[in-house]
Amino acid sequence: MSATRTLADLPARYARGERGGITSICSAHPLVIEAALLEGIATGTDVLIEATCNQVNQEGGYTGMTPADFRQFVEDIAGRLGFDTSRLILGGDHLGPNPWKHLPADEAMQRADVMMDAFVRAGFTKIHLDTSMGCAGEPVALPDAVTAERAARLAKVSEKAAAEAGYDLPVYIIGTEVPIPGGAMEALDHLELTTPAAAIETVEVHRRAFAALGLQDAFARAIGVVVQPGVEFGNENVVVYDSAKATQLSGVLRQMPQFVFEAHSTDYQPQEALSALVHDGFAILKVGPGLTFALREALFGLDQIAAFLDRLPEEETLRGKMEKLLLAEPKNWEKYYHGDADELRLQRHFSYSDRIRYYWPHPEASAAVDALLKRLEGRAIPETLISQNLGTLYPAVAAGKVSAAPHALMVEAVRNVIRGYNRATLSLQPA
């Protein structure tokens, strides 16, 4: 059975009363991908890794990678770890005109066509169709009918590419109430949930749009709908899932057994909330910033250990070097963080939206990380300093399950987060 079949079977499993799902790893950081694949090896399960249209596209995105490059990047890590790539699922997230929404719609959609073709020809088999954003001269949010027509157009490109590429035929995720990638930009205290009527209308308007282009077979492989279940995070707080408030939305799945829900922005949800989401039909849990946040915590913890051991001044620490870089090149955070100087300093390093993640590939950041790791290389890190600065990892280190070495500690920090998702998604218990 192909790994893509794992996704295709989710709605039928849910309809049978099984409560399980899959974690969607939304990151291009090599240590995050390593952690996800190691967890896949440990649990013997398929691994879904997704790239967004802004990270990866035919023009390189902010990672500098095309879809074919990203596939090679992931498979190289898999080969090094011994992960069976037949268990790898690659997904394209928010595929649509978003990277070019500053352009007129015709031009933006032409570029989205090229991007879709590139993703599918590179073997991405989970395709999130997201054409919900307005382009130049259009309203910010488009009417559902326009969103669906544009999604069907991209699906037509996808189907042609899939027929010629020789990979598994893709499964599709649709939805018009799509959260912005990377989390909200403001403080949050509550969210408006998608209504049951809106969820049903989303499916029907896409069904009609696909049929108008003769894409009934493609629509039969649409398995997920993006809705707002009342889950989000901002820079400083997290809105936790409340199952009772989502009862009516969850119940609508009985009327559309072809589908499960896909939940975006599930980062930082407590274990009970993740499990409740899966139980209620949100079978695809997407996580991204929460993983690089854990990685950043590990890096900063190691930084504190090195600073203590070697009596380093602030400017020689990783955090000091990152602050200098963040201030010198603010484009990836200045539009998203708000407040006075102290509040901005806090957010630059510790925001839930984790926009510092955009800086780790920067040559200066990479050099700073390398300097930290070299400083600790070959040294026995005292367990007491791990307890002090990497407290969540201390029990595994003390028990001898994880090496007190920087690389192992960073990977373990990310795996800890992924394990929480796997506890929610890999339990196939009757409803």
Side-chain angles (χ1 to χ4, degrees), residues 212-224:
L213 297 182
L215 297 174
Q216 290 89 339
D217 287 348
F219 191 78
R221 280 180 270 109
I223 61 153

Side-chain angles (χ1 to χ4, degrees), residues 309 376-383 404:
L309 290 175
L376 293 174
E377 183 180 1
R379 297 172 70 170
I381 300 177
E383 286 186 5

